[in-house]
Amino acid sequence: MPISPSSMINQYKFEDEPELRDLFITVDDPESHITAIETFITYRVVTKTSRVEFDSSEYEVRRRYQDFLWLKSKLEAAHPTLIIPPLPEKFIMKGMVERFSDEFIETRRKALHKFLNRIADHPTLTFNEDFKIFLTAQAWELSSHKKQGPGLLSRMGQTVRAVASSVRGGVKNRPETFTEMNDYMETFSQKINVLDKIAHRIYKEEREYFNEMKEYGPIHTLWSASEEDIADSLKGVASCIDKCCKATEKRMAGLSENLLPILHEYVLYSEILMGVLKRRDQIQGELDSKVDALANKNPEKDLVALFTSGSALP
């Protein structure tokens, strides 16, 4: 199988810097799959490692987007108060790129590559057992492992606890630090979402402007062929439109490569942080309720002990 440029870079790092890192992951080689039920893309995930807990030093598996979603959910369940790196959304903004286009697939591949490597670099998440299974298990093994997850009753219990926590209202003993953090994140989330929407609207308008100019340039060129008196002027207008097209295309590339992904990643991280703070409040709420229950039981125990010792008898 031919080695992609990203794999070659990964191999170079693996051989020349073993003392700095011991886990290297590459996501590449997207492949389309068409079935009677659905159409989906799988990506090759190549892992190179020197860790003793791995049975081999190199693994190669294929994963689809749903597998990445499963990994993220397992990490959130195992580490509810840690910041799990964001995944690209399943659905894309309408009018930006077409689903299954080369541009969309490449953008998603880069995001999935970044997601796995951020986990690999995390001091805690990198040693998660489900992460190891994701990197090493073949498709049928991963499918079997997924079926061993929590049952319906367990998931219902988690949902009921979350709802109960929200019904109880605010956390009584939340530290001031987390209150300030929550207020800051709410404000930040609102502002970064507004910036993200504005940036996408600008990009959409730039694209519409670009498409219109692409049509006007050839029209003026054809027009100049039938109007000898103003042919030079029309050719000049066509040339100007062509330059504007190139400038607009360059500006769009800058937006799509440098600004939009960064802004949207801030949006995703703000959502993740809000989720982490919410889960922390749920844990705090459960702790408060247990402390209250324990405090209510202590007087009962003291009363039982009093009667048992006989000191309460006349």
Side-chain angles (χ1 to χ4, degrees):
M1 185 175 293
I3 300 176
S4 67
S6 57
S7 296
M8 293 174 67
I9 293 172
N10 205 39
Q11 179 68 27
Y12 171 79
K13 289 182 178 179
F14 181 72
E15 292 176 348
D16 288 10
E17 300 178 3
E19 71 282 1
L20 299 178
R21 296 183 62 188
D22 57 5
L23 184 62
F24 301 86
I25 305 169
T26 302
V27 179
D28 60 9
D29 190 27
E31 184 178 300
S32 299
H33 300 264
I34 302 175
T35 67
I37 302 176
E38 60 179 340
T39 300
F40 59 93
I41 306 292
T42 63
Y43 301 85
R44 181 175 65 172
V45 179
V46 178
T47 304
K48 294 176 170 55
T49 182
S50 58
R51 293 183 183 178
V52 295
E53 61 265 27
F54 285 81
D55 297 330
S56 176
S57 62
E58 184 171 346
Y59 296 87
E60 181 179 316
V61 295
R62 297 203 71 87
R63 297 287 182 255
R64 57 184 297 183
Y65 181 77
Q66 289 181 357
D67 299 327
F68 287 86
L69 282 178
W70 169 83
L71 173 61
K72 185 173 183 291
S73 66
K74 296 295 287 186
L75 292 174
E76 288 175 345
H79 310 280
T81 57
L82 292 183
I83 299 173
I84 310 301
L87 272 174
E89 294 97 333
K90 184 173 184 179
F91 301 104
I92 59 176
M93 184 169 290
K94 200 171 183 180
M96 291 293 294
V97 291
E98 295 296 327
R99 194 182 180 205
F100 300 130
S101 67
D102 292 341
E103 180 185 358
F104 170 74
I105 293 172
E106 177 60 14
T107 300
R108 172 163 286 185
R109 183 200 67 77
K110 289 179 180 178
L112 296 177
H113 176 88
K114 186 183 292 185
F115 170 73
L116 292 183
N117 279 277
R118 281 174 170 169
I119 296 174
D121 292 338
H122 194 282
T124 301
L125 300 178
T126 188
F127 297 107
N128 180 274
E129 185 63 24
D130 290 305
F131 180 49
K132 176 186 172 184
I133 291 171
F134 177 90
L135 297 176
T136 61
Q138 293 303 313
W140 65 270
E141 294 175 308
L142 182 64
S143 178
S144 176
H145 184 73
K146 286 181 179 180
K147 295 177 182 178
Q148 298 174 8
L152 177 61
L153 292 178
S154 176
R155 293 197 299 272
M156 288 179 61
Q158 293 173 2
T159 304
V160 168
R161 285 198 299 272
V163 171
S165 177
S166 63
V167 169
R168 281 196 298 267
V171 180
K172 293 186 299 182
N173 300 318
R174 179 201 284 165
E176 185 64 26
T177 302
F178 289 102
T179 300
E180 294 175 358
M181 194 181 300
N182 191 73
D183 294 341
Y184 176 85
M185 283 309 306
E186 285 182 354
T187 304
F188 176 82
S189 179
Q190 292 173 359
K191 292 183 177 181
I192 201 66
N193 271 282
V194 170
L195 285 174
D196 183 58
K197 290 178 181 177
I198 292 173
H200 278 89
R201 187 164 65 242
I202 291 173
Y203 181 85
K204 184 180 179 182
E205 291 175 356
E206 290 276 357
R207 179 182 285 274
E208 292 172 353
Y209 177 56
F210 173 74
N211 291 334
E212 288 181 3
M213 284 195 300
K214 280 179 65 177
E215 295 178 3
Y216 290 146
I219 289 174
H220 282 78
T221 301
L222 293 172
W223 188 8
S224 66
S226 60
E227 296 286 349
E228 295 182 1
D229 295 339
I230 57 173
D232 292 339
S233 298
L234 292 173
K235 288 179 181 178
V237 172
S239 176
C240 181
I241 292 175
D242 182 60
K243 290 179 181 178
C244 289
C245 277
K246 291 178 180 178
T248 303
E249 189 173 24
K250 184 177 180 180
R251 189 164 58 249
M252 287 169 54
L255 284 172
S256 63
E257 294 174 8
N258 301 319
L259 180 62
L260 293 180
I262 294 172
L263 276 177
H264 199 61
E265 194 166 56
Y266 274 115
V267 170
L268 296 177
Y269 263 111
S270 68
E271 292 173 356
I272 290 170
L273 282 167
M274 293 295 290
V276 169
L277 290 171
K278 185 178 292 185
R279 289 195 294 271
R280 192 218 166 269
D281 281 352
Q282 291 173 359
I283 295 172
Q284 181 73 54
E286 291 179 8
L287 175 63
D288 291 344
S289 64
K290 290 178 181 179
V291 169
D292 291 342
L294 185 62
N296 292 333
K297 287 182 179 179
N298 283 337
E300 297 176 4
K301 289 183 178 179
D302 293 341
L303 186 61
V304 171
L306 188 66
F307 278 102
T308 304
S309 64
S311 56
L313 297 175

